[in-house]
């Protein structure tokens, strides 16, 4: 009788974790995505043209606050330390993530 409900608890836990990850992703997309505009006045303009520095800042925040990118970086570091063969694709010629405004 003690271990009878373990599969139910595991299933419930997995469903809760999936829901939390989904809510977190939706929150990140609505809060930090540079393409989402909640202000009606800003929706009518092209922010990349009007204020490119602000768009760059929003894009960097979007990249820095991404949960899945942080997990991917952890896995990348793990792969680099435990790699059997060196990976030339992820070498010095691969640029890091980031966005840069064009200087006039």
């Amino acid at each position: 009788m003690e271990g009878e409900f373990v599969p139910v608890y595991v299933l419930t836990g997995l469903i809760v974790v999936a829901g939390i990850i989904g809510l977190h992703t939706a929150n990140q997309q609505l809060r930090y995505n540079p393409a989402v505009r909640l202000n009606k006045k800003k929706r009518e303009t092209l922010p990349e043209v009007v204020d490119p520095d602000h768009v760059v800042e929003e894009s960097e925040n979007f990249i820095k606050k991404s949960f899945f990118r942080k997990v991917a970086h952890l896995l990348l570091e793990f792969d680099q330390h435990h790699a059997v063969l060196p990976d030339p694709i992820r070498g010095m010629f691969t640029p890091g993530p980031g966005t840069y405004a064009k200087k006039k």
Side-chain angles (χ1 to χ4, degrees):
M1 191 90 186
E2 293 174 6
E4 205 169 288
F5 292 107
V6 170
V8 175
Y9 297 144
V10 169
L11 180 65
T12 305
L14 290 174
I15 291 171
V16 167
V17 167
I20 289 172
I21 290 174
L23 287 173
H24 178 71
T25 303
N27 184 23
Q28 292 294 100
Q29 289 290 329
L30 290 175
R31 184 179 287 176
Y32 298 114
N33 192 345
V36 175
R37 299 280 173 233
L38 298 178
N39 189 354
K40 284 189 176 184
K41 291 180 182 178
K42 289 185 179 180
R43 278 189 227 161
E44 297 171 355
T45 64
L46 289 173
E48 293 87 1
V49 175
V50 175
D51 191 13
D53 294 330
H54 184 69
V55 173
V56 168
E57 182 181 322
E58 285 180 340
S59 301
E60 288 176 357
N61 281 340
F62 183 66
I63 290 173
K64 288 179 186 174
K65 303 222 182 237
S66 174
F67 172 73
F68 294 115
R69 287 185 189 270
K70 290 177 185 176
V71 172
H73 284 298
L74 289 175
L75 292 176
L76 180 65
E77 290 175 10
F78 180 79
D79 287 345
Q80 287 175 350
H81 291 300
H82 299 332
V84 177
L85 295 172
D87 190 3
I89 302 296
R90 297 182 188 170
M92 64 183 172
F93 299 113
T94 307
T99 309
Y100 307 101
K102 206 177 218 185
K103 301 293 180 192
K104 290 183 180 182

